[in-house]
Amino acid sequence: VSDFDAASRRAVLGLTGSALLAGCGALPSPSPFGGEAETTLDGAAIRSVVAGDGPVVPERIPVEVGTERIEAGRARVRELLAVAPLPLDRSEIPNGAIRAELTDAAERAREDLDAAAAAPSPITALRHLRFARMRAGRVAGGWRYVDEGLRRGDLRDDADRLADDVAAFRAERSYAGAPDGAVRSVLVHATVGKLAGTAAGHATTGGGDRPGEWRSNPVSVGELVGDLERGGAALTDARHVYDRYVGSLDAARDLHARFAAAGADLLDLLADRSGDLPSSDASPAAVVDGLTENSPGGLALEGLLDDVGYRRSLTDPRDEGDVATVVVRAHGRLARVGGAEALVAALREGTRFRPASAADVRSLRKTTLAALEGAVRDAPHPDLAREAAADLAGRVRYADRELARVGDDTAADRLAMDLREYVRVRYVARALPEAGRAVADALRPEPEADGG
Amino acid sequence: MSSPPRDPENVARDPEVLALRNAGPDPIVGVREADGEGRGSDADDREHAQRGLLASPEAAALLEFSGIDGRERERARAFLDGTDYAEATVYADRRRVGECYRLRLCWVIWSESQVRTQYARTYRDWDVACSADRDARTLRLIRIPAALDPGAVSSYGSGVHTRGCVPPRRGGVETGGDTSNGTENASNGTENASDRRPPGGRP
């Protein structure tokens, strides 16, 4: 039982005599309905809790990304940004909204370049560069609309070529890996698979049956150029990571069958475990007596149950039967299932994560960050944990940014939507090591097949 | 005389419509002030006309146009005069739009108690000189092919999409239902590079 549990009990029970605390941040006022009091929190204190940089968990893969790959990405961004005569002025693009859109894309491409330069890991730098290329592509494409008369139809060949290239890459790639390092192998191959999926998803000129007038202007044609640019970059990155990895292996083995079997096992395990969880359609009160929708704990549970319910399939059509990606997705989902189980248990014990003061918010955030750190530190395979923890860190940063905007006196209930992210991250992070062990078990070779 | 069915959704995707635009800040249409004591039905007509719903020639006559040239005023008047109010109702839908954009009407839906419109917003041509910071006014006179009782219509709304027209949903328009002052439901793009939203359950 953590400090925070005690704090939330104080919020419920400690109302009498609370006038003594007035001015110290917590100003509970009795609810007219005789339920839990409406608590007002000191916004300035909360803003100070989230001041500064949020957590970042750099993704890492056991592949050495070539510096020449990163330099090539930067050069490509600069090349694209040189297409349009920036800064654009009125005489070049009289329509101010279109001009503003392209100008903004150029600025953001430069921000992405800066982010790539400051990236904590090469694989993250490549990600920033893909977005930089996408945004710089928007500017270049928008300008080519104006300057050369580039239109959507002109890009169909580029899109088809990209789709063909992705298909060719998928057909020729193997699942070569190190037999004694299957977890590392699956992580690399899932990274490759997701990049190929991104490329495939952008290899289109955007069909759809909606009338097309909104798609024939410099901004939308620029977006298409940017999408194709990003898709092309994703495929190049996929090839790069793949080639580097396979080239680094001493004794490579095709692990396709092992990945496929592990994926199937993990899906079975997930089906079992998810079956024991409450239905995502159940009301919070039906899951935990007295639980309401607007507590951070209730909201976090709702979100997790939604995610692990079968509404979202584990197999994404974009993966195109990518056996490695299935395993890595299952890892993330197992952690969410484990997190949901532990959260249900905590809620049944009466914890609601309702802050009675800014100090409670600080304590919740601190516990969350500790859980996030522990998830990577205690994981049997830290790089696999990082893959999931990077996403969790993003949730914390999101909540931080939202909480940085709270007003001076804010009702505690109004923070529930943001605080639920801390709750969720805390529980999912704690479940990551176990999920990592399950993945490692599933990837262990069958004695008959692989042993001696 | 056609009366609106109880079915909440009657849709016209391509209704008869007259679109007017004023680049300046002035409204295109207003309602004539009452001269003397407004009698009961006159006061009702006036109130309904304020909301844009015109169910009779008398109500339509209350509209006053400004901010558009004489020829367009004549066209507007002719549209109103050419409406058979036994069969149709005119909805005068006023929308602001950024000076660099234009709106296209996607559809109008109506029931006994509500009228909703949906627009698609697109850029005007790139070589049209305009400011990203200024608004224009638009007015659409939309002929709804049903004789509505304006007194029974209590809910009006409008939505704007930036990625083309989206078909109306059953049971209402848009989510939230508070689009009565032209809320933009602009989902402008597929940006997912930054982490401004919580990452959506990446499995």
Side-chain angles (χ1 to χ4, degrees):
Chain A
V1 175
S2 73
D3 293 350
F4 194 71
D5 299 337
S8 71
R9 248 172 242 124
R10 195 169 65 235
V12 178
L13 304 172
L15 298 177
T16 49
S18 62
L20 291 172
L21 294 170
C24 300
L27 298 168
S29 56
S31 156
F33 304 107
E36 292 175 359
E38 265 180 42
T39 308
T40 306
L41 303 179
D42 176 353
I46 289 173
R47 291 194 297 272
S48 82
V49 168
V50 296
D53 294 336
V56 175
V57 178
E59 288 169 83
R60 275 209 312 239
I61 53 170
V63 174
E64 209 178 304
V65 172
T67 50
E68 83 285 353
R69 182 76 218 107
I70 290 175
E71 195 36 59
R74 304 184 71 82
R76 176 66 178 155
V77 176
R78 286 193 290 265
E79 183 187 333
L80 289 166
L81 286 176
V83 170
L86 297 168
L88 297 166
D89 71 23
R90 224 172 281 240
S91 67
E92 280 143 354
I93 299 186
N95 183 312
I98 292 175
R99 194 169 64 243
E101 193 71 37
L102 298 182
T103 301
D104 181 57
E107 271 166 29
R108 295 187 65 185
R110 291 195 192 95
E111 286 169 16
D112 290 332
L113 273 183
D114 291 345
S121 67
I123 195 77
T124 311
L126 285 183
R127 179 199 302 282
H128 287 300
L129 287 172
R130 287 194 295 277
F131 282 111
R133 284 174 63 169
M134 175 184 82
R135 294 188 168 117
R138 289 180 178 175
V139 187
W143 178 251
R144 289 178 60 202
Y145 181 105
V146 167
D147 195 45
E148 300 168 19
L150 180 75
R151 294 297 179 268
R152 184 164 292 264
D154 302 327
L155 294 160
R156 201 152 293 140
D157 286 351
D158 289 350
D160 290 347
R161 198 172 311 120
L162 178 58
D164 289 348
D165 289 349
V166 177
F169 173 68
R170 280 174 164 165
E172 81 199 24
R173 75 175 283 208
S174 73
Y175 288 87
D180 57 348
V183 175
R184 289 152 62 89
S185 301
V186 86
L187 186 60
V188 175
H189 282 292
T191 303
V192 170
K194 280 187 204 162
L195 285 168
T198 299
H202 288 84
T204 168
T205 52
D209 49 5
R210 292 201 241 163
E213 68 181 338
W214 62 276
R215 295 189 291 153
S216 51
N217 59 63
V219 173
S220 70
V221 170
E223 278 177 7
L224 180 54
V225 169
D227 282 356
L228 290 169
E229 183 67 28
R230 180 180 165 202
L235 181 60
T236 317
D237 289 348
R239 279 188 194 285
H240 180 80
V241 170
Y242 177 80
D243 290 344
R244 284 275 175 148
Y245 180 66
V246 173
S248 75
L249 294 168
D250 289 332
R253 255 314 252 279
D254 188 351
L255 298 179
H256 182 279
R258 209 199 285 185
F259 291 171
D265 286 354
L266 290 168
L267 292 187
D268 286 348
L269 177 62
L270 270 168
D272 277 358
R273 295 271 303 271
S274 307
D276 295 338
L277 283 172
S279 152
S280 59
D281 298 327
S283 73
V287 177
V288 179
D289 213 22
L291 183 61
T292 55
E293 273 102 353
N294 64 347
S295 65
L299 287 167
L301 181 64
E302 202 181 336
L304 275 173
L305 291 181
D306 250 6
D307 272 9
V308 299
Y310 279 102
R311 277 183 220 171
R312 286 195 203 178
S313 168
L314 249 188
T315 48
D316 189 315
R318 286 178 311 172
D319 298 339
E320 289 264 344
D322 180 348
V323 290
T325 305
V326 171
V327 172
V328 171
R329 283 190 204 282
H331 169 251
R333 192 179 289 209
L334 268 174
R336 288 196 286 279
V337 169
E341 286 168 349
L343 180 55
V344 168
L347 292 167
R348 285 188 174 145
E349 280 174 20
T351 307
R352 294 292 180 269
F353 307 96
R354 267 209 184 88
S357 66
D360 285 348
V361 175
R362 183 183 298 278
S363 139
L364 175 59
R365 186 174 182 277
K366 202 174 156 194
T367 317
T368 299
L369 294 184
L372 200 52
E373 276 174 37
V376 176
R377 189 186 56 230
D378 303 335
H381 297 278
D383 286 351
L384 182 62
R386 282 171 183 281
E387 198 275 342
D391 177 77
L392 297 177
R395 286 180 179 272
V396 173
R397 294 196 301 273
Y398 166 79
D400 285 356
R401 269 195 306 277
E402 294 296 308
L403 291 171
R405 295 205 298 252
V406 299
D408 281 343
D409 293 305
T410 299
D413 276 355
R414 295 191 56 179
L415 304 182
M417 287 294 276
D418 305 321
L419 295 179
R420 73 175 170 167
E421 299 293 344
Y422 293 156
V423 175
R424 176 188 173 116
V425 170
R426 162 177 164 170
Y427 280 89
V428 175
R430 283 181 180 167
L432 269 174
E434 194 206 331
R437 280 189 288 276
V439 168
D441 284 348
L443 283 169
R444 201 154 285 145
E446 299 287 332
E448 302 86 354
D450 258 21
Chain B
M1 170 166 167
S2 75
S3 64
R6 288 182 188 283
D7 184 341
E9 280 187 19
N10 302 286
V11 184
R13 283 161 210 279
D14 192 17
E16 294 171 283
V17 63
L18 177 68
L20 301 162
R21 180 179 177 113
N22 177 14
D26 299 327
I28 298 176
V29 73
V31 176
R32 206 186 304 279
E33 280 181 27
D35 36 55
E37 300 287 302
R39 282 166 302 159
S41 71
D42 184 58
D44 284 350
D45 279 353
R46 201 173 297 284
E47 191 193 321
H48 302 144
Q50 298 279 10
R51 295 191 198 165
L53 211 53
L54 310 164
S56 67
E58 293 75 23
L62 292 170
L63 292 194
E64 278 185 326
F65 297 96
S66 57
I68 49 175
D69 66 25
R71 206 170 143 260
E72 288 195 305
R73 272 181 229 195
E74 278 171 32
R75 288 174 62 211
R77 187 55 63 198
F79 186 92
L80 294 173
D81 291 348
T83 301
D84 176 359
Y85 292 94
E87 300 285 339
T89 310
V90 171
Y91 182 43
D93 198 14
R94 291 154 283 193
R95 296 287 140 209
R96 270 175 200 267
V97 65
E99 196 188 54
C100 295
Y101 299 90
R102 60 197 154 81
L103 296 176
R104 187 163 63 80
L105 181 67
C106 298
W107 41 256
V108 56
I109 69 175
W110 67 92
S111 69
E112 286 179 349
S113 61
Q114 67 165 330
V115 173
R116 299 245 187 279
T117 52
Q118 176 75 241
Y119 293 91
R121 194 187 73 169
T122 53
Y123 289 103
R124 294 170 75 198
D125 287 346
W126 67 271
D127 54 357
V128 171
C130 57
S131 162
D133 304 323
R134 277 200 299 267
D135 281 349
R137 304 263 188 167
T138 71
L139 168 70
R140 271 173 186 72
L141 299 175
I142 303 165
R143 212 171 265 155
I144 296 172
L148 297 176
D149 169 9
V153 176
S154 55
S155 169
Y156 299 82
S158 187
V160 178
H161 279 273
T162 58
R163 303 217 149 219
C165 287
V166 174
R169 289 181 200 151
R170 285 209 68 77
V173 186
E174 290 310 298
T175 50
D178 59 345
T179 53
S180 49
N181 51 7
T183 309
E184 301 223 339
N185 299 290
S187 56
N188 203 354
T190 54
E191 212 55 86
N192 51 5
S194 64
D195 47 23
R196 260 163 221 154
R197 299 179 306 144
R202 198 173 65 182

